PDB file of all heavy atoms in Angstrom:
ATOM      1  N   ALA O 320      83.614 148.670 105.359  1.00  0.00           N
ATOM      2  CA  ALA O 320      83.497 149.114 103.963  1.00  0.00           C
ATOM      3  C   ALA O 320      84.549 150.174 103.650  1.00  0.00           C
ATOM      4  O   ALA O 320      85.162 150.149 102.576  1.00  0.00           O
ATOM      5  CB  ALA O 320      82.101 149.654 103.690  1.00  0.00           C
ATOM      6  N   ASN O 321      84.775 151.091 104.593  1.00  0.00           N
ATOM      7  CA  ASN O 321      85.797 152.112 104.393  1.00  0.00           C
ATOM      8  C   ASN O 321      87.185 151.494 104.281  1.00  0.00           C
ATOM      9  O   ASN O 321      87.994 151.917 103.455  1.00  0.00           O
ATOM     10  CB  ASN O 321      85.776 153.137 105.526  1.00  0.00           C
ATOM     11  CG  ASN O 321      84.576 154.055 105.449  1.00  0.00           C
ATOM     12  OD1 ASN O 321      83.935 154.163 104.404  1.00  0.00           O
ATOM     13  ND2 ASN O 321      84.262 154.703 106.554  1.00  0.00           N
ATOM     14  N   LEU O 322      87.461 150.504 105.136  1.00  0.00           N
ATOM     15  CA  LEU O 322      88.766 149.844 105.071  1.00  0.00           C
ATOM     16  C   LEU O 322      88.941 149.108 103.747  1.00  0.00           C
ATOM     17  O   LEU O 322      90.028 149.109 103.164  1.00  0.00           O
ATOM     18  CB  LEU O 322      88.942 148.885 106.246  1.00  0.00           C
ATOM     19  CG  LEU O 322      89.086 149.532 107.619  1.00  0.00           C
ATOM     20  CD1 LEU O 322      89.182 148.462 108.699  1.00  0.00           C
ATOM     21  CD2 LEU O 322      90.288 150.443 107.661  1.00  0.00           C
ATOM     22  N   GLU O 323      87.870 148.498 103.255  1.00  0.00           N
ATOM     23  CA  GLU O 323      87.950 147.818 101.958  1.00  0.00           C
ATOM     24  C   GLU O 323      88.181 148.832 100.846  1.00  0.00           C
ATOM     25  O   GLU O 323      88.951 148.577  99.920  1.00  0.00           O
ATOM     26  CB  GLU O 323      86.674 147.018 101.705  1.00  0.00           C
ATOM     27  CG  GLU O 323      86.559 145.792 102.585  1.00  0.00           C
ATOM     28  CD  GLU O 323      85.207 145.105 102.468  1.00  0.00           C
ATOM     29  OE1 GLU O 323      84.322 145.613 101.745  1.00  0.00           O
ATOM     30  OE2 GLU O 323      85.051 144.055 103.113  1.00  0.00           O
ATOM     31  N   ASP O 324      87.529 149.997 100.956  1.00  0.00           N
ATOM     32  CA  ASP O 324      87.751 151.058  99.965  1.00  0.00           C
ATOM     33  C   ASP O 324      89.202 151.534 100.005  1.00  0.00           C
ATOM     34  O   ASP O 324      89.815 151.758  98.957  1.00  0.00           O
ATOM     35  CB  ASP O 324      86.815 152.239 100.208  1.00  0.00           C
ATOM     36  CG  ASP O 324      85.361 151.922  99.879  1.00  0.00           C
ATOM     37  OD1 ASP O 324      85.120 150.901  99.183  1.00  0.00           O
ATOM     38  OD2 ASP O 324      84.478 152.679 100.330  1.00  0.00           O
ATOM     39  N   TYR O 325      89.731 151.717 101.215  1.00  0.00           N
ATOM     40  CA  TYR O 325      91.122 152.127 101.353  1.00  0.00           C
ATOM     41  C   TYR O 325      92.063 151.101 100.722  1.00  0.00           C
ATOM     42  O   TYR O 325      92.979 151.456  99.993  1.00  0.00           O
ATOM     43  CB  TYR O 325      91.511 152.296 102.834  1.00  0.00           C
ATOM     44  CG  TYR O 325      91.315 153.683 103.380  1.00  0.00           C
ATOM     45  CD1 TYR O 325      90.593 153.891 104.540  1.00  0.00           C
ATOM     46  CD2 TYR O 325      91.874 154.785 102.761  1.00  0.00           C
ATOM     47  CE1 TYR O 325      90.412 155.157 105.068  1.00  0.00           C
ATOM     48  CE2 TYR O 325      91.709 156.063 103.277  1.00  0.00           C
ATOM     49  CZ  TYR O 325      90.975 156.241 104.421  1.00  0.00           C
ATOM     50  OH  TYR O 325      90.811 157.498 104.937  1.00  0.00           O
ATOM     51  N   SER O 326      91.847 149.829 101.015  1.00  0.00           N
ATOM     52  CA  SER O 326      92.750 148.813 100.473  1.00  0.00           C
ATOM     53  C   SER O 326      92.649 148.751  98.957  1.00  0.00           C
ATOM     54  O   SER O 326      93.663 148.567  98.270  1.00  0.00           O
ATOM     55  CB  SER O 326      92.479 147.445 101.105  1.00  0.00           C
ATOM     56  OG  SER O 326      91.173 147.018 100.817  1.00  0.00           O
ATOM     57  N   GLU O 327      91.458 148.943  98.406  1.00  0.00           N
ATOM     58  CA  GLU O 327      91.296 148.983  96.942  1.00  0.00           C
ATOM     59  C   GLU O 327      92.027 150.186  96.355  1.00  0.00           C
ATOM     60  O   GLU O 327      92.697 150.086  95.334  1.00  0.00           O
ATOM     61  CB  GLU O 327      89.803 149.037  96.584  1.00  0.00           C
ATOM     62  CG  GLU O 327      89.536 149.058  95.109  1.00  0.00           C
ATOM     63  CD  GLU O 327      89.882 147.756  94.416  1.00  0.00           C
ATOM     64  OE1 GLU O 327      89.868 146.698  95.065  1.00  0.00           O
ATOM     65  OE2 GLU O 327      90.169 147.816  93.204  1.00  0.00           O
ATOM     66  N   GLU O 328      91.899 151.332  97.015  1.00  0.00           N
ATOM     67  CA  GLU O 328      92.582 152.541  96.551  1.00  0.00           C
ATOM     68  C   GLU O 328      94.104 152.368  96.628  1.00  0.00           C
ATOM     69  O   GLU O 328      94.830 152.794  95.723  1.00  0.00           O
ATOM     70  CB  GLU O 328      92.141 153.739  97.389  1.00  0.00           C
ATOM     71  CG  GLU O 328      92.722 155.056  96.947  1.00  0.00           C
ATOM     72  CD  GLU O 328      92.131 155.578  95.655  1.00  0.00           C
ATOM     73  OE1 GLU O 328      91.061 155.111  95.236  1.00  0.00           O
ATOM     74  OE2 GLU O 328      92.767 156.457  95.043  1.00  0.00           O
ATOM     75  N   ILE O 329      94.580 151.733  97.690  1.00  0.00           N
ATOM     76  CA  ILE O 329      96.024 151.477  97.815  1.00  0.00           C
ATOM     77  C   ILE O 329      96.501 150.606  96.666  1.00  0.00           C
ATOM     78  O   ILE O 329      97.538 150.864  96.060  1.00  0.00           O
ATOM     79  CB  ILE O 329      96.346 150.822  99.182  1.00  0.00           C
ATOM     80  CG1 ILE O 329      96.164 151.837 100.309  1.00  0.00           C
ATOM     81  CG2 ILE O 329      97.768 150.272  99.198  1.00  0.00           C
ATOM     82  CD1 ILE O 329      96.209 151.236 101.689  1.00  0.00           C
ATOM     83  N   ARG O 330      95.732 149.567  96.351  1.00  0.00           N
ATOM     84  CA  ARG O 330      96.095 148.683  95.236  1.00  0.00           C
ATOM     85  C   ARG O 330      96.148 149.451  93.919  1.00  0.00           C
ATOM     86  O   ARG O 330      97.088 149.318  93.141  1.00  0.00           O
ATOM     87  CB  ARG O 330      95.074 147.543  95.123  1.00  0.00           C
ATOM     88  CG  ARG O 330      95.576 146.221  95.589  1.00  0.00           C
ATOM     89  CD  ARG O 330      94.645 145.091  95.197  1.00  0.00           C
ATOM     90  NE  ARG O 330      93.234 145.312  95.477  1.00  0.00           N
ATOM     91  CZ  ARG O 330      92.642 145.111  96.635  1.00  0.00           C
ATOM     92  NH1 ARG O 330      93.333 144.668  97.660  1.00  0.00           N
ATOM     93  NH2 ARG O 330      91.353 145.335  96.793  1.00  0.00           N
ATOM     94  N   ASN O 331      95.129 150.280  93.684  1.00  0.00           N
ATOM     95  CA  ASN O 331      95.080 151.053  92.448  1.00  0.00           C
ATOM     96  C   ASN O 331      96.247 152.027  92.329  1.00  0.00           C
ATOM     97  O   ASN O 331      96.859 152.155  91.269  1.00  0.00           O
ATOM     98  CB  ASN O 331      93.759 151.818  92.338  1.00  0.00           C
ATOM     99  CG  ASN O 331      92.582 150.905  92.130  1.00  0.00           C
ATOM    100  OD1 ASN O 331      92.733 149.764  91.699  1.00  0.00           O
ATOM    101  ND2 ASN O 331      91.401 151.388  92.450  1.00  0.00           N
TER     102      ASN O 331
END
Side-chain angles (χ1 to χ4, degrees):
N321 288 342
L322 291 177
E323 289 172 357
D324 290 344
Y325 269 128
S326 62
E327 181 69 26
E328 183 72 17
I329 289 169
R330 254 192 312 277
N331 291 340

